[in-house]
Amino acid sequence: MKLLEDRIRADGQVLDGQVLKLDSFLNHQIDVELLTELGREFYRLFQADGVTKLLTIEASGIAVACAAGQFFRVPVVFAKKSRGKNLTGEAYSSLVESFTHGCVNNISVSKSFLCPEDRVLLMDDFLANGAALRGLISLVEQAGATLVGAGVCVEKAFQPGGDELRAQGVRIESLARIKAMSPKTGVFFC
Amino acid sequence: MKLLEDRIRADGQVLDGQVLKLDSFLNHQIDVELLTELGREFYRLFQADGVTKLLTIEASGIAVACAAGQFFRVPVVFAKKSRGKNLTGEAYSSLVESFTHGCVNNISVSKSFLCPEDRVLLMDDFLANGAALRGLISLVEQAGATLVGAGVCVEKAFQPGGDELRAQGVRIESLARIKAMSPKTGVFFC
């Protein structure tokens, strides 16, 4: 998606260690109008698939999923990384290793919000090793729901997550796919 | 705001220990269309105040702030609860005790995203003891920015946070103010 690629070129910062900082518009400061356009594009890609629920993971996935939710007009559910007093009763859960934070989170979703009749579209800001999407897929499977696919803003295509998940039959639509990047040369798209 | 009060009456659950669960539409599963209406109302309340930035805290504040951001057409910034690889450089930070999770978070915002020229509206889903808002106010003060006020979806008016902050001169607009609640009687609004 040219709009997003142009913005990454203009405002993204490549740091050492394969880190791409998009925090001026995607995941710390948020350009709501840009996200609305990304949400519209996810809707165009998946509108024929009978999606009944958008599932993401806190925190930065929430803005992306809510932007798409305006068009899909279905509930957004976000998996929580820790269980507060509000998450009572039964929950589906799975372990997710965070590339960004260097830790393992036990993510969970209340059983009230995923059911066997649901057709679930996963949403996230980044796809790298695929750990977050795999954790969310596990929640969908535990609920007996149908996985429609995953909509991702930025895929680091030089990391294995996207290809591995596609090889398992998961439909993944990434709005920007990065072939290579470095602090010196910047970002190259697929 | 009647729309929100009605929804709290219909779908809220009061648990022991002064916990109000609104997770079927506000902070776990999200009704995006409802949040859009809440965002529109926040805009109505603060549209004359020259807001240049909406500031919230992950995770459930993000959906509320993004909904309002559609109307204000200014960037949303969310304070992070932990510092990942992406939050490099200088940041403003403050300590916030979480009522829901029973822990203390060191919240932070990159100095790139709050500046002295900013007129900041704080946004959050809940206001109880005011810890989150106080933490956000500290970030605004550290940046030398102007605090416009705070837009809150649900205020537990029987807890002291709202009144204490108003006594300090902070303009707080809560769309639903709860006077009292219990698992037996449900919720009473101010």
Side-chain angles (χ1 to χ4, degrees), chain A residues 127-131 133-134 155-168 170 172:
Chain A
L127 167 57
N129 290 312
L133 287 187
R134 267 188 217 98
E155 178 180 347
K156 291 173 170 172
F158 56 86
Q159 288 184 259
D163 286 343
E164 286 172 6
L165 286 163
R166 287 184 185 95
Q168 290 165 30
V170 180
I172 296 176

Side-chain angles (χ1 to χ4, degrees), chain A residues 21 28 30 76 78 88 100, chain B residues 21 28 30 76 78 85 88:
Chain A
K21 260 182 87 160
H28 185 10
I30 297 168
V76 167
F78 65 89
T88 53
T100 315
Chain B
K21 261 182 88 160
H28 184 11
I30 296 167
V76 167
F78 64 89
K85 288 180 192 167
T88 53

Side-chain angles (χ1 to χ4, degrees), chain A residues 19 21 23 27-30 33 58-59 70 73 76 78 80 82 85-86 88 99-101 110 113, chain B residues 19 21 23 27-30 33 58-59 70 73 76 78 80 82 85-86 88 99-101 110 113:
Chain A
V19 172
K21 260 182 87 160
D23 62 356
N27 50 23
H28 185 10
Q29 181 167 258
I30 297 168
E33 290 170 60
E58 64 179 19
Q70 295 173 68
R73 303 177 80 85
V76 167
F78 65 89
K80 304 207 169 194
S82 72
K85 289 180 190 165
N86 287 344
T88 53
F99 173 75
T100 315
H101 293 96
S110 165
F113 305 133
Chain B
V19 173
K21 261 182 88 160
D23 62 356
N27 49 23
H28 184 11
Q29 180 167 259
I30 296 167
E33 291 169 59
E58 63 179 17
Q70 295 173 67
R73 303 177 79 85
V76 167
F78 64 89
K80 304 207 170 193
S82 72
K85 288 180 192 167
N86 287 343
T88 53
F99 173 75
T100 315
H101 294 95
S110 165
F113 305 133

